[in-house]
C-alpha cells in the first residue's frame, strides 16, 4: 500500500482564511509505526502514533479512527492501521473547518464541506460523534473567540449538541488543567468575551465558572452602570480589556474582578457593599478548582480587592494612597501595577455608553509611583540608622508622598 502524506487541520484552515500559519500538522495514510520509524521518524505519541520528522521536527500522525468506550475525553479506542483512509481520519475531527486536507500537489480534499463553512463563517461539527468528546465544548467556544472578529458563529445544531454534552454530565469529566489551558488560550484570543458568551449559551459556564455565571441577572445602580446587569458589565469590561492589552493575565483579572457581586445581600441590591472582600474567597475556589497559575491568581486578587479604591484614587489621602501602593507591591513590581491599572481601566470603560471615557486615575497613580520611587531609601537608612527601618522608610515615603499629592492633587491632601 502506498504511503501518502497530507497537510491537515489548522494550517489548511488558516491558509484558506489568508491568516498566518502557526504550525503545520501532517497525517500519513497507508503506513505503520514500524515503517515510519524505519524512515527515521521519532515516535512521541503514547495514546496514538504521532511522529516527529527527522529534519523539520514537525508532527506526523498516522491516519486513525476512534471509538467511544468510556467516559470523558480520554475514553476512546484508536485504530491507526494502514487501512484507515484520509476521509475516515478527517471525520473524527471536531469542526468542518478543521477537517480539510491538502495534498503535496496543492489539491484540497474537503469531504465535509469545510470550505463552504469557511466562506459562510460557520463553526459546524463534522459528525454526530462530536457529542462523544466533552472537550469539544471548550474548543468550539475557544474557536468562536478566536474567529469572532472574522464573523464566525456557532451553527445552531452544533450549539444544540454542546448543550447535550453539558446535560449528559460528561463535561464534568474534564481534567482541571485542560479546562484552564483552553480558558487561558481563549483569554489571549481576539474576543475573549465571546468564549464566555458561548459557554453560557450552552450551559457550560455554570459548571466551569459558576462564580462568573452567577453574575448574569444581578442588577447594579443605573447611575454608574447604564447596562445594569453585572454579567453584561463583565463581558463589556472583557471587551475593553482586549482593546487595552493583549496580555491574557490582564484579561483574566478583568473577567473575575466583580465575582463578589454574585453573593452580596440581595435585599440591598442594586448596592453591593463589600463585594471586593466577598470576591476573594471565590477566587480561591476558582484557583483550587482550575489550578490557576500564580501570575493570574495574584493579579486577579489585587484587582478584585482594590479596583474600587483605584477608581476613587483622586480622593485618597496620602496615607491611604501609600497603603494601596504597598498592597500592590508597587515599589518592587511596577510592571504589576501597570497590569492592575489596565484591568481597572477596562472595568471603568466596560459600561454601556461609557466605552470612550477618560481614565485619569491611571496616569495619576503612575506619576505618583514614579516620583515616589526616586526616593533613595538606601542612602536614607545609611545616614539615619533608625531602630525600626521599615517604619522609618514608610514615614519617609509618606512625607514625600504628601508633597507630591499636594502638588498634583491639592484637594486630596486636605480631605
Amino acid at each position: 500500500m502506498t504511503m501518502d502524506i497530507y497537510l491537515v487541520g489548522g494550517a489548511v484552515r488558516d491558509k484558506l482564511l489568508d491568516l498566518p500559519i502557526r504550525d503545520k500538522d501532517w497525517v500519513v495514510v497507508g503506513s505503520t509505526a514500524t515503517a515510519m520509524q524505519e524512515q527515521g521518524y521519532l515516535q512521541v505519541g503514547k495514546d496514538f502514533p504521532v511522529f516527529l520528522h527527522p529534519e523539520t521536527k514537525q508532527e506526523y500522525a498516522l491516519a486513525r479512527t476512534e471509538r467511544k468506550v468510556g467516559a470523558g475525553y480520554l475514553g476512546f479506542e484508536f485504530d491507526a492501521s494502514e487501512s484507515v483512509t484520509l476521509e475516515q481520519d478527517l471525520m473524527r475531527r471536531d469542526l468542518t473547518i478543521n477537517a480539510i486536507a491538502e495534498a503535496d500537489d496543492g489539491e484540497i480534499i474537503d469531504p465535509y464541506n469545510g470550505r463552504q463553512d469557511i466562506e459562510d463563517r460557520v463553526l459546524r461539527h463534522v459528525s454526530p460523534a462530536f457529542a462523544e468528546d466533552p472537550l469539544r465544548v471548550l474548543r468550539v467556544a475557544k474557536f468562536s473567540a478566536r474567529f469572532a472578529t472574522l464573523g464566525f458563529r456557532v451553527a445552531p445544531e452544533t450549539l444544540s449538541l454542546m448543550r447535550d454534552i453539558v446535560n449528559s454530565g460528561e463535561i464534568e469529566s474534564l481534567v482541571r488543567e485542560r479546562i484552564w489551558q483552553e480558558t487561558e488560550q481563549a483569554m489571549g484570543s481576539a474576543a475573549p468575551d465571546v468564549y464566555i458568551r458561548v459557554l453560557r449559551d450552552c450551559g457550560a459556564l455554570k459548571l466551569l465558572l459558576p462564580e462568573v455565571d452567577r453574575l448574569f441577572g444581578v442588577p447594579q445602580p443605573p447611575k454608574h452602570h447604564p447596562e445594569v446587569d453585572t454579567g453584561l458589565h463583565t463581558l463589556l469590561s472583557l471587551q475593553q480589556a482586549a482593546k487595552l492589552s493583549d496580555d491574557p493575565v490582564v484579561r483574566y483579572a478583568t473577567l473575575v474582578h466583580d465575582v463578589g457581586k454574585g453573593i452580596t445581600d440581595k435585599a440591598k441590591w442594586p448596592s453591593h457593599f463589600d463585594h471586593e472582600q466577598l470576591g476573594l474567597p471565590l477566587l480561591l475556589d476558582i484557583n483550587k478548582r482550575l489550578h490557576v497559575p500564580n501570575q493570574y491568581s495574584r493579579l486577579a486578587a489585587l484587582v478584585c480587592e482594590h479596583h474600587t479604591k483605584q477608581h476613587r484614587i483622586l480622593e485618597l489621602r496620602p496615607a491611604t494612597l501609600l497603603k494601596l501602593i504597598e498592597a500592590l507591591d508597587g515599589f518592587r513590581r511596577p510592571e504589576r501595577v501597570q497590569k492592575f491599572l489596565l484591568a481597572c481601566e477596562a472595568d471603568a470603560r466596560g459600561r454601556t455608553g461609557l466605552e470612550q471615557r477618560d481614565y485619569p486615575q491611571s496616569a495619576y497613580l503612575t506619576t505618583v509611583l514614579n516620583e515616589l520611587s526616586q526616593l533613595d531609601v538606601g542612602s536614607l537608612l545609611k545616614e539615619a540608622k533608625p531602630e525600626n527601618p521599615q517604619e522609618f522608610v514608610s514615614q519617609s515615603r509618606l512625607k514625600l508622598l504628601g508633597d507630591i499629592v499636594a502638588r498634583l492633587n491639592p484637594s486630596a491632601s486636605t480631605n
Side-chain angles (χ1 to χ4, degrees), residues 4-5 72 99 113 118 128 139 146 163 173 225 227 234 276 316 323 325 372 383 394 403:
D4 294 307
I5 298 176
N113 299 315
I118 286 177
R139 283 178 55 80
R146 180 178 175 185
R163 292 193 183 105
S173 67
H225 289 275
E227 72 288 344
T234 298
E276 303 91 344
L316 300 185
K323 287 181 180 179
I325 293 173
L372 199 55
E383 181 179 342
S394 292
D403 296 338

Side-chain angles (χ1 to χ4, degrees), residues 136-196:
R136 288 175 170 173
V137 171
L138 276 75
R139 283 178 55 80
V140 172
K142 182 181 69 175
F143 279 121
S144 298
R146 180 178 175 185
F147 295 129
T149 55
L150 297 179
F152 276 85
R153 67 192 187 283
V154 182
E157 61 271 26
T158 301
L159 189 61
S160 178
L161 278 183
M162 292 164 67
R163 292 193 183 105
D164 290 343
I165 294 174
V166 172
N167 293 334
S168 73
E170 277 270 293
I171 200 167
E172 296 182 45
S173 67
L174 292 174
V175 297
R176 301 168 182 176
E177 290 80 4
R178 197 59 195 268
I179 296 172
W180 174 254
Q181 179 183 341
E182 298 296 322
T183 301
E184 181 179 28
Q185 291 177 3
M187 287 300 103
S189 67
D193 62 296
V194 173
Y195 176 74
I196 301 300

